[in-house]
């Protein structure tokens, strides 16, 4: 018989260390992504870069449009304020004209009263020119000063920011009041029904 090496025989007989196609050959391990992985990564990077550029362009265009819209709104608000000021100026001019006419009419009435009552000066006890003038001025008082109305008109809405009650707050207050009235009316029905 032939003499054979025990290790070779053991390798043939012991199949636990190798697969169905023979003993496994050691293969070098490659580090890094495969060709398919590299292609996937490059496609992903291209998609991300393209999406980023498109998103930036869309955002930039939307931002420019919103700035233009804000400028248009600002110009419109300034035009509205200018129109308000024109209307207030016209109203103040009309009011001043009316007030001047009323003051002239009052002065005529006071002058007529003083000339009518001049005969009392010196004939009646304590009657002096200043007392007669003061009585006539008290008799024909001013019909009303427009200074308060002018101050109120000039102070409303001329500043874009400041105090005051917003329309939204007024709606909330009105809705709250309506709810309170409805609840009170409902409770009133319930207590009367019992």
């Amino acid at each position: 018989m032939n003499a054979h090496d025990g290790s070779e025989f053991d390798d043939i007989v012991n199949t636990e260390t190798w697969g169905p196609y023979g003993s496994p050959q050691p293969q070098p391990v490659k580090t890094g992504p495969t060709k398919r992985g590299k292609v996937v990564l490059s496609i992903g990077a291209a998609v991300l870069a393209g999406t980023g550029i498109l998103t930036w362009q869309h955002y930039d265009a939307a931002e420019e449009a919103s700035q233009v819209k804000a400028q248009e709104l600002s110009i419109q608000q300034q035009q509205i304020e200018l129109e308000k000021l024109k209307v207030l100026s016209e109203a103040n001019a009309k009011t001043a004209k009316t007030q001047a006419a009323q003051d002239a009419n009052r002065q005529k009435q006071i002058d007529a009263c003083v000339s009518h009552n001049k005969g009392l000066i010196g004939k009646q006890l304590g009657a002096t020119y200043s007392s007669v003038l003061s009585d006539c001025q008290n008799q024909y008082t001013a019909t009303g000063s427009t200074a308060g109305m002018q101050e109120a008109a000039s102070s409303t809405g001329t500043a874009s920011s400041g105090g005051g009650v917003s329309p939204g707050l007024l709606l909330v207050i009105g809705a709250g009041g309506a709810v309170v009235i409805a609840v009170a009316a409902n409770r009133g029905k319930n207590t009367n029904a019992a």
Side-chain angles (χ1 to χ4, degrees):
M1 282 203 64
N2 291 350
H4 49 266
D5 188 8
S7 67
E8 206 175 298
F9 180 74
D10 287 338
D11 284 341
I12 292 173
V13 174
N14 189 1
T15 59
E16 291 177 5
T17 59
W18 48 277
Y21 304 107
S23 65
Q25 299 293 324
Q27 296 192 6
V29 177
K30 293 181 181 178
T31 59
T34 60
K35 286 184 181 182
R36 185 186 308 172
K38 289 177 184 179
V39 169
V40 168
L41 287 176
S42 63
I43 290 173
V47 166
L48 284 176
T51 305
I53 289 172
L54 291 176
T55 303
W56 178 76
Q57 287 175 347
H58 175 72
Y59 171 77
D60 193 38
E63 184 67 24
E64 287 177 6
S66 68
Q67 286 178 354
V68 167
K69 186 70 173 173
Q71 288 175 349
E72 288 175 359
L73 289 175
S74 174
I75 290 171
Q76 288 176 352
Q77 287 177 343
Q78 290 173 354
Q79 288 175 343
I80 290 171
E81 284 297 320
L82 183 62
E83 290 297 322
K84 281 183 184 178
L85 291 175
K86 284 180 183 178
V87 169
L88 285 175
S89 176
E90 290 174 3
N92 285 339
K94 288 180 183 178
T95 304
K97 192 180 213 181
T98 305
Q99 186 66 33
Q102 289 174 350
D103 288 344
N105 188 23
R106 178 178 178 258
Q107 190 61 39
K108 286 180 188 176
Q109 291 174 342
I110 290 172
D111 291 343
C113 177
V114 168
S115 65
H116 182 270
N117 292 330
K118 256 186 180 175
L120 297 176
I121 298 172
K123 294 183 179 177
Q124 199 175 26
L125 183 64
T128 62
Y129 181 79
S130 63
S131 66
V132 170
L133 180 63
S134 130
D135 288 341
C136 289
Q137 285 177 343
N138 289 339
Q139 184 179 359
Y140 299 105
T141 59
T143 57
S145 174
T146 59
M149 291 172 55
Q150 288 175 352
E151 288 175 11
S154 66
S155 67
T156 56
T158 56
S160 61
S161 64
V165 179
S166 68
L169 182 61
L170 288 176
L171 287 174
V172 170
I173 291 172
V179 168
V180 168
I181 290 171
V183 168
N186 193 18
R187 285 191 181 179
K189 285 181 186 178
N190 291 341
T191 57
N192 290 339

